[in-house]
Amino acid sequence: MTVPRPAAVLFDRDGTLIVDVPYNADPHRVRPMPGARRALARLRGAGVPVGVVTNQSGVARGLIGARELCAVNARVEEILGPFDVWAVCPHGEHDGCGCRKPAPGLVLRAAAVLGVNVRDCVVIGDIGRDVEAARAAGARGILVPTSVTLPEEVAAAPEVAADLPGAVERALRPPPHASTDPGEPT
């Protein structure tokens, strides 16, 4: 039996796809994370839609304007190729919105735009908020730790990969607890 591919893989932006430059308003400072191009090429080659789900509180704080944010995101696509969906939360941490990760809003919005079941999506990120947003939405979360990832976030993550290409390979396999036998309950 063939294993079904994910309906979509959604990535955090800063620290996952690109090097995190806090409140970056300069497209020329965008640099891909190691393995990002290869990971995205693998998914695109497998016909899996890819998207970005990103908190951008610098907009709410007045540290970056909407025009600069769009320019940075356009540069991300110029470097890494087109994404099938972008879901961006411009709110601050205390705004109480339902889209700011760890809330599920961005993941739910991205799945809805793609017309896929959120339960068939995978979210890949570098901090606990990314995995928590996936869990809250009913999606699968994979953590790719970096120097800013807290040890307790790694311990709490259901799946951890050493790097972005490794996370994509995990995403293309069933989750560790999933059954591949259609007659066996999951």
Side-chain angles (χ1 to χ4, degrees):
M1 173 178 166
T2 60
V3 176
R5 65 183 173 94
V9 176
L10 309 173
F11 294 89
D12 171 58
R13 191 188 83 174
D14 303 319
T16 303
L17 287 174
I18 62 170
V19 174
D20 187 8
V21 175
Y23 311 113
N24 184 18
D26 182 357
H28 295 98
R29 296 182 72 193
V30 173
R31 301 284 178 268
M33 288 294 285
R37 286 185 180 105
R38 184 166 41 115
L40 289 163
R42 173 80 168 98
L43 289 169
R44 291 175 178 132
V48 177
V50 292
V52 178
V53 290
T54 181
N55 289 348
Q56 294 297 321
S57 66
V59 175
R61 295 177 186 189
L63 300 172
I64 177 173
R67 183 173 297 167
E68 290 86 6
L69 176 63
C70 287
V72 167
N73 289 345
R75 179 69 176 150
V76 171
E77 286 203 332
E78 185 180 313
I79 292 171
L80 297 176
F83 290 88
D84 298 292
V85 64
W86 281 82
V88 179
C89 174
H91 304 109
E93 190 167 351
H94 303 293
D95 289 347
C97 74
C99 60
R100 184 174 169 76
K101 294 179 288 182
L106 291 177
V107 178
L108 294 170
R109 183 184 330 150
V113 168
L114 293 170
V116 299
N117 187 328
V118 72
R119 296 198 178 283
D120 298 326
C121 293
V122 177
V123 177
I124 298 174
D126 67 316
I127 60 173
R129 287 176 180 261
D130 302 317
V131 175
E132 291 169 30
R135 184 179 299 136
R140 178 180 173 193
I142 301 174
L143 185 71
V144 180
T146 65
S147 61
V148 301
T149 312
L150 302 174
E152 55 268 25
E153 293 173 330
V154 176
E159 292 184 73
V160 179
D163 57 22
L164 207 47
V168 164
E169 289 308 315
R170 279 183 160 277
L172 290 170
R173 297 192 307 256
H177 61 278
S179 166
T180 55
D181 179 352
E184 184 179 322
T186 56

